[in-house]
Amino acid sequence: MRYTPDVSLSDYGVSLRNGFLPDSPPLTIIENPYYWPWEHVVGDLQAHIQARTIRQAVENLPILSTSKLQGEPEWRRAYLLLAYLTHAYIWGGDKPQDVLPPAISCPFIEISSHLELPPCATYAALNLWNFAVPHPDADLTDPDLLSVTATFTGTQDEEWFLMISVALEAKGAQLIPLMLDTIHAVNIDDAQRVSDLLLSFSKGLKELRMLLERMYEKNRPSVFYHQLRPLLAGSKNMASAGLPNGVFYDIGNGQGKWHQYSGGSNAQSSLIQTFDIFLGVEHSATGGMKNHGSAQPKKNNGFMQEMRKYMPGPHRRFLEMLTRVTNVRAYALSHKADSPIRDAYNTAVMSLGVFRDSHIQIVTRYIIMAARTKPPTSGPAQVNLATSTTTQMKELNEKVTGGIHGTGGTDLIPFLKQTRDTTKATASYED
């Protein structure tokens, strides 16, 4: 690869080998016993949630200082632990809890500030920093080799759901230098190389889609929808679930602040937004179509832009940098409609559209259809957004494809379809 010479991936926390995943596997435990109270509760999270003792366990935690954390891996592990404790505390009861105690709020706010992330369960906590491998040289693109280091439900279904995303990140890492190399090839007007690289990019997207479709292998829709998904929900747009004001982060002495955050969502994956930026796909705030005359995405484009706030700061800055340097769409459109470069570009765009088709099919099976199923007999179903929308569907007694919200806060199926349609509309077959 001879990607753009002035781009240093390490400056953006991006690994040449693993992409947005850490260059080395995340910690599975903070070695300093000072932080073991967090580790112990998270280690028993499934039992605490099932026995409805999670809130008592959290309220019994001491307020720990962040001053003993050493190195980014420990900061990330601490962030993961507090993210799981936060969501288990909020959603792990018969009704949601809208006040987070100081034992969580105080350190979580400090750790989140250090990592440039909001204090909630983000994609970074759930996926990027939550996997273990059997040996250092394990293939991260194989979800069968990966395991979680923290879990809400203790189910294979949850582990598979999260590890498919980790494997996708690892597989997609191979496309990051390829994209930068394509941008460089445009800069030196090497049309043949641009065309070849775009076709390689399309092949890579096809491989990612095949990996995504492995979701069905070990993740049962009823378990995902009724047991896991409720615990992933955030505190934004949750009035119908019992959080009209969000959650109050109590820092003691009567001080604190109300916050509303989106829940963990794959929309917080920097990798997927990287593909959009690279190809010049623009998503509007309303999900409507846009004029694609501009080569660069506009800054204020609604939900996708909002989701960047849930990405680690360096990754967010990588997307900002890529937005400034991307040039592939304008270059492709400067060639005739039937030229190899335009064909290669359109193939790449449609490949990303087909990837989104697969995502819609998965969401339909795991959320829309699963909403009509009964909770599994083993393990409690949580009371929150997921169960409230199930109740709404029963009351309406009609087929619902809209009105169900994602954990990120979107009107799920309409949003995904608009995103897919906008992607495919970016292709250009006319001069």
Side-chain angles (χ1 to χ4, degrees), residues 10-69:
S10 60
D11 290 345
Y12 300 99
V14 180
S15 165
L16 189 59
R17 179 178 60 177
N18 296 337
F20 296 103
L21 297 172
D23 204 38
S24 300
L27 295 180
T28 57
I29 189 173
I30 300 176
E31 292 187 1
N32 189 337
Y34 178 78
Y35 294 106
W36 286 1
W38 296 346
E39 293 278 4
H40 289 155
V41 177
V42 172
D44 291 332
L45 207 53
Q46 175 193 5
H48 280 304
I49 292 172
Q50 288 183 344
R52 293 294 196 257
T53 57
I54 181 58
R55 289 174 180 162
Q56 180 181 350
V58 168
E59 289 161 3
N60 289 338
L61 286 171
I63 301 177
L64 301 180
S65 168
T66 62
S67 63
K68 300 180 186 296
L69 293 171

Side-chain angles (χ1 to χ4, degrees), residues 273 276 280-292 296-308 356 410-411 414-423 425-426:
Q273 289 210 23
D276 282 331
V281 178
E282 301 178 28
H283 298 289
S284 69
T286 61
M289 306 304 291
K290 276 194 172 184
N291 186 333
H292 291 279
Q296 294 187 355
K298 296 178 181 178
K299 292 183 179 180
N300 297 317
N301 52 2
F303 180 74
M304 292 296 197
Q305 193 73 23
E306 177 71 15
M307 287 298 98
R308 293 191 190 183
R356 288 197 154 110
T410 57
D411 194 5
F415 169 77
L416 292 176
K417 286 184 176 179
Q418 289 164 352
T419 301
R420 183 269 317 276
D421 293 345
T422 301
T423 300
T426 304

Side-chain angles (χ1 to χ4, degrees), residues 92-111:
D94 294 328
K95 294 182 179 180
Q97 174 60 260
D98 64 355
V99 178
L100 198 62
I104 299 297
S105 297
C106 291
F108 203 12
I109 289 171
E110 291 180 13
I111 291 166

Side-chain angles (χ1 to χ4, degrees), residues 68-345:
K68 300 180 186 296
L69 293 171
Q70 298 181 353
E72 290 304 286
E74 287 197 357
W75 283 93
R76 292 169 180 170
R77 177 67 183 176
Y79 178 80
L80 176 158
L81 294 171
L82 292 172
Y84 271 79
L85 290 173
T86 294
H87 282 243
Y89 185 83
I90 293 171
W91 297 113
D94 294 328
K95 294 182 179 180
Q97 174 60 260
D98 64 355
V99 178
L100 198 62
I104 299 297
S105 297
C106 291
F108 203 12
I109 289 171
E110 291 180 13
I111 291 166
S112 299
S113 177
H114 175 86
L115 295 169
E116 302 179 73
L117 284 163
C120 59
T122 60
Y123 183 84
L126 297 165
N127 301 88
L128 300 181
W129 304 335
N130 184 30
F131 67 93
V133 291
H135 54 81
D137 297 324
D139 180 7
L140 299 186
T141 69
D142 183 355
D144 284 306
L145 298 179
L146 306 176
S147 58
V148 294
T149 68
T151 175
F152 288 114
T153 66
T155 61
Q156 182 188 52
D157 308 78
E158 176 184 355
E159 182 169 67
W160 191 250
F161 168 70
L162 297 174
M163 293 305 98
I164 284 288
S165 289
V166 172
L168 283 169
E169 292 285 340
K171 190 75 173 176
Q174 303 165 10
L175 299 181
I176 296 174
L178 185 150
M179 287 183 279
L180 294 173
D181 195 15
T182 307
I183 291 170
H184 176 63
V186 168
N187 286 334
I188 62 174
D189 194 18
D190 188 342
Q192 182 61 54
R193 182 156 181 78
V194 172
S195 179
D196 291 344
L197 288 168
L198 283 171
L199 292 175
S200 295
F201 179 75
S202 298
K203 180 181 178 183
L205 288 177
K206 180 179 179 180
E207 292 173 353
L208 286 177
R209 178 172 56 83
M210 293 172 64
L211 181 55
L212 176 65
E213 290 174 355
R214 292 191 63 190
M215 182 67 72
Y216 305 114
E217 292 180 14
K218 301 178 184 178
N219 182 17
R220 292 166 292 175
S222 62
V223 174
F224 170 80
Y225 184 83
H226 292 289
Q227 290 183 226
L228 174 60
R229 185 172 182 264
L231 293 162
L232 300 179
S235 51
K236 186 176 182 179
N237 298 329
M238 289 293 173
S240 65
L243 296 179
N245 302 310
V247 172
F248 185 80
Y249 283 60
D250 182 3
I251 58 174
N253 300 319
Q255 295 183 322
K257 186 177 179 182
W258 287 95
H259 293 282
Q260 294 189 16
Y261 295 116
S262 294
S265 167
N266 279 17
Q268 297 163 7
S269 167
S270 299
L271 181 68
I272 304 303
Q273 289 210 23
T274 296
F275 297 156
D276 282 331
I277 295 169
F278 170 66
L279 293 174
V281 178
E282 301 178 28
H283 298 289
S284 69
T286 61
M289 306 304 291
K290 276 194 172 184
N291 186 333
H292 291 279
S294 172
Q296 294 187 355
K298 296 178 181 178
K299 292 183 179 180
N300 297 317
N301 52 2
F303 180 74
M304 292 296 197
Q305 193 73 23
E306 177 71 15
M307 287 298 98
R308 293 191 190 183
K309 298 177 182 178
Y310 295 82
M311 300 174 185
H315 296 173
R316 187 162 58 245
R317 287 187 285 278
F318 175 82
L319 297 183
E320 293 167 354
M321 176 278 296
L322 192 66
T323 299
R324 292 192 300 269
V325 304
T326 189
N327 51 16
V328 175
R329 186 169 196 275
Y331 185 73
L333 266 58
S334 72
H335 291 70
K336 292 185 179 298
D338 59 350
S339 63
I341 182 69
R342 184 80 75 88
D343 288 345
Y345 172 77

Side-chain angles (χ1 to χ4, degrees), residues 368 392-393 396 398-405 411-414:
I368 305 303
Q392 292 169 13
M393 291 178 70
L396 290 171
E398 63 183 19
K399 182 178 180 181
V400 177
T401 57
I404 292 186
H405 289 77
D411 194 5
L412 196 53
I413 290 297

